[in-house]
Amino acid sequence: ACTTTDPPDDCSGGQGFGVDWAPSMRMVVDLSDLDRSRWVNQTGNSGHAFASHYNDQSEAWAKNELYDWPFSEKAVKDAGEGGDEVPQSAGDFVIARIERRSPKARGVLRFAAGLGRSIRTRLLEELLGEETLELGLEELASAGMLVRATGPADGGDWQFARGLVREVVYDAMSRRTQRETHQRVGRLLAARFFAGREEPPAVIAEHLERGGEASGAAAFWLRAGRLALTASDAAAAAACFTKTIELEPSPGSAPASA
């Protein structure tokens, strides 16, 4: 056994006391409540060299800092929907699952994330085509990423299995892809509106605004404001009219259509 009276080399196996190795990951697991556990990786959670999470934990590791480590389904879901940043471990896990999907399935995910809570099969079909949609939905349902809507979902018949999935899918899109997605959805909804379909003007306005089409969005916010006045909802009407003025002080009479 090594004692305080032994020479230093005897205690170190003749190698000295220099440190040239370290643990790749540190974790503190609370076995009484796993959701209180914390951890940090020496580099990052992603194994992809060019991913944003490949080495983004190195600084925290060097400072001996730890990240929250939600375990239960509820804790992960709450972290994704509670307004906080998605935990890196959960976000990277979802991204890895997305990357394993086929191009058709990823296309469905893109527009499903753009549509939001209400995922209507008919809209996806018009955006993607029947064959792409059928194959993509089948794959995503088998993977447990999309499920049939079981309750009120604003008229939608599909929904994300977890709110966290939609958040990660949407945030993973580039700004340009987000804008183009909303633009295509907005134009489709506008075309359906002018064809006599019951599409809410405020929803159309929101998509067109996010899609960079200010004139069309302003005109639909104006329509939404008039509908709110008809329903005696002065606060909603004022909010819609404010949007109209902010986007275009003198909006045209006809919003953009597909």
Side-chain angles (χ1 to χ4, degrees):
C2 179
T3 68
T4 56
T5 60
D6 292 325
D9 283 350
D10 291 343
C11 296
S12 62
Q15 300 298 317
F17 292 96
V19 177
D20 57 7
W21 62 273
S24 62
M25 183 262 285
R26 300 190 188 102
M27 64 179 175
V28 178
V29 179
D30 188 337
L31 296 179
S32 67
D33 184 356
L34 292 178
D35 290 327
R36 295 179 59 190
S37 302
R38 294 170 65 78
W39 91 318
V40 66
N41 206 346
Q42 190 182 55
T43 51
N45 286 322
S46 177
H48 301 281
F50 299 102
S52 60
H53 297 308
Y54 181 70
N55 63 354
D56 58 351
Q57 294 188 30
S58 297
E59 184 176 351
W61 180 90
K63 294 179 179 179
N64 203 27
E65 298 174 348
L66 298 171
Y67 294 101
D68 290 337
W69 192 8
F71 269 77
S72 69
E73 178 178 321
K74 182 180 185 303
V76 173
K77 184 175 181 180
D78 288 346
E81 297 182 340
D84 298 328
E85 184 179 352
V86 177
Q88 292 181 0
S89 54
D92 277 345
F93 175 74
V94 175
I95 289 176
R97 295 189 66 198
I98 295 170
E99 290 175 346
R100 292 197 295 268
R101 305 278 72 83
S102 68
K104 286 184 172 62
R106 291 200 297 269
V108 173
L109 280 176
R110 168 193 170 186
F111 284 104
L115 286 170
R117 290 184 64 252
S118 180
I119 306 175
R120 287 184 281 168
T121 302
R122 182 58 181 168
L123 294 182
L124 289 176
E125 185 177 310
E126 292 188 44
L127 288 164
L128 296 164
E130 184 176 355
E131 180 181 355
T132 295
L133 176 62
E134 183 177 354
L135 294 174
L137 281 179
E138 181 179 353
E139 180 178 343
L140 294 171
S142 297
M145 302 185 79
L146 290 181
V147 297
R148 289 280 186 181
T150 56
D154 300 330
D157 44 10
W158 286 90
Q159 62 188 30
F160 282 93
R162 302 285 183 271
L164 173 65
V165 176
R166 178 187 178 271
E167 181 181 342
V168 172
V169 170
Y170 189 83
D171 290 345
M173 290 190 279
S174 66
R175 297 282 185 180
R176 178 178 178 179
T177 301
Q178 289 178 356
R179 183 174 64 253
E180 291 176 349
T181 299
H182 286 294
Q183 183 185 77
R184 286 187 58 186
V185 172
R187 288 182 175 184
L188 172 60
L189 294 177
R192 290 172 61 86
F193 178 88
F194 289 124
R197 310 288 176 80
E198 294 185 2
E199 300 292 350
V203 174
I204 302 173
E206 184 74 26
H207 281 294
L208 290 175
E209 182 178 347
R210 293 188 178 188
E213 299 197 350
S215 296
F220 268 108
W221 281 124
L222 182 62
R223 290 177 180 271
R226 289 170 177 168
L227 282 177
L229 280 181
T230 302
S232 301
D233 191 341
C240 292
F241 292 148
T242 299
K243 279 278 195 180
T244 302
I245 296 171
E246 289 175 350
L247 289 170
E248 188 169 310
S250 301
S253 57
S257 61

